Amino acid sequence: MRIEAVKRRVPKEELGTRLTVRCGWTYGETVVFGEAANFAAYAFAPATLVTPLGALSILVTAVLAHFFLKEKLNIFGWVGCILCIVGSTTIVVNAPEERMVQSVQELWSLAMQPEFLIYALSTVATILFLIFYVAPLLGATNMLVYIGICSLVGSLSVMSCKVLGIALKLTLSGNNQFVYPQTYLSLAVVAVSVITQMNYLNKALDLFNTAVVTPFYYVLFTMATVLASVIMFKDWEQQTGPQIFSVMCGFSTILCGTFMLHATKDVDLPNLNSWSSLLHLPRGGGPVQRIDLAKL
């Protein structure tokens, strides 16, 4: 029996639906791959290095949108990107070394230190206070309430992610860590933390400007995570004063770049849309556009 291929003309509506579905699957696959890579990073590097470098995702998104989605970056956006790169490089060069861990039980003993227990209990108490008392009163008018909840929860989730990442790394190397209940407890903490973060971050994005929410969330989340990591793993015990100062300067540089990138992305600057325009700025009069940061 001979089978003949029949060429069928696909309607535009059906073709658009197919492309939409395929783009949706591609987006989902990319997100899963990115989050898996981010999760794996915590198994091989200290949180004080991985978390601040999260600003690079903002940079890559802005650059890709500029070239593929035609969302033009003005000169301040490019300067913000450069600041993020400089700050990230500074952090990488001066970051503390990863602590060698042999088992999940060793990590659990670090989590049971009095210093970290005080931090964890005070963080949980603050989160509950913000959720049940402050959020109903001020959540709709002050974005720091929802962002604060996300940041504090995120610091605990990162510590649990690091435990899970190291457990997977040791298990794949032949030392099974899933026989310990602490591994499953860490998994439960991660699940609850991620759901809570998604809930309150979406509320913040619904109520307030993304250009302001994103840099504030990045700053508070990074500060809370670095503090938790320093208390639990004592990452900077062997760091010198200049190295610690350099890391703080790198983080501050990333902060400035992130804020500049977001605060000016929707501002139309006709005379500052390219590097070459700096060489041809008119002198004297002309309308001046002022940027009101209070309205961003």
Side-chain angles (χ1 to χ4, degrees):
M1 180 175 63
R2 186 163 63 104
I3 301 177
E4 295 182 355
V6 179
K7 184 176 181 180
R8 182 174 69 89
R9 186 178 181 85
V10 180
K12 290 184 179 180
E13 295 79 6
E14 183 179 346
L15 181 60
T17 302
R18 291 183 182 181
L19 289 175
T20 302
V21 172
R22 183 55 200 160
C23 288
W25 278 106
T26 303
Y27 168 77
E29 293 166 358
T30 305
V31 170
V32 171
F33 176 78
E35 292 303 322
N38 186 56
F39 173 78
Y42 285 108
F44 297 95
T48 50
L49 171 62
V50 177
T51 306
L53 293 184
L56 291 179
S57 63
I58 302 173
L59 183 153
V60 173
T61 300
V63 173
L64 291 179
H66 174 79
F67 287 106
F68 293 102
L69 301 180
K70 307 305 179 184
E71 297 181 3
K72 296 298 181 182
L73 279 175
N74 56 42
I75 195 67
F76 293 114
W78 286 112
V79 172
C81 292
I82 294 174
L83 288 176
C84 288
I85 294 174
V86 173
S88 300
T89 304
T90 304
I91 290 177
V92 170
V93 171
N94 297 280
E97 295 183 359
E98 170 69 349
R99 182 179 185 136
M100 300 303 296
V101 179
Q102 303 300 325
S103 68
V104 170
Q105 290 181 317
E106 183 179 345
L107 287 173
W108 195 254
S109 65
L110 294 175
M112 290 295 103
Q113 297 175 106
E115 301 91 341
F116 187 77
L117 282 177
I118 293 173
Y119 171 81
L121 292 176
S122 61
T123 299
V124 171
T126 304
I127 292 170
L128 295 177
F129 175 74
L130 290 174
I131 290 176
F132 293 107
Y133 181 76
V134 180
L137 298 176
L138 302 174
T141 57
N142 192 331
M143 69 175 181
L144 292 179
V145 176
Y146 291 146
I147 295 177
I149 294 172
C150 294
S151 302
L152 293 175
V153 173
S155 67
L156 298 179
S157 69
V158 166
M159 296 301 101
S160 299
C161 280
K162 190 166 183 65
V163 173
L164 283 179
I166 293 177
L168 285 173
K169 181 178 71 172
L170 294 175
T171 299
L172 293 176
S173 64
N175 185 7
N176 186 13
Q177 299 297 305
F178 285 88
V179 296
Y180 302 116
Q182 293 90 337
T183 304
Y184 299 97
L185 180 59
S186 300
L187 181 60
V189 172
V190 170
V192 174
S193 300
V194 169
I195 294 173
T196 305
Q197 282 181 274
M198 292 178 61
N199 179 35
Y200 287 98
L201 183 58
N202 285 330
K203 288 184 178 181
L205 293 173
D206 288 339
L207 295 172
F208 305 101
N209 194 326
T210 305
V212 181
V213 171
T214 302
F216 268 91
Y217 175 58
Y218 166 75
V219 172
L220 294 180
F221 170 71
T222 303
M223 290 177 61
T225 301
V226 169
L227 178 61
S229 180
V230 169
I231 294 175
M232 180 173 175
F233 295 98
K234 297 180 172 54
D235 291 324
W236 287 342
E237 271 190 341
Q238 300 179 353
Q239 294 290 101
T240 63
Q243 287 177 320
I244 296 175
F245 180 75
S246 298
V247 171
M248 294 175 63
C249 289
F251 173 66
S252 300
T253 304
I254 294 177
L255 166 61
C256 294
T258 303
F259 181 79
M260 184 176 294
L261 183 61
H262 278 274
T264 62
K265 69 176 182 179
D266 295 324
V267 178
D268 184 21
L269 300 174
N271 292 328
L272 290 174
N273 284 327
S274 65
W275 291 102
S276 60
S277 63
L278 290 175
L279 303 177
H280 303 88
L281 287 177
R283 291 191 302 171
V288 177
Q289 181 177 0
R290 300 185 183 277
I291 302 174
D292 189 359
L293 296 179
K295 296 181 179 179
L296 292 175

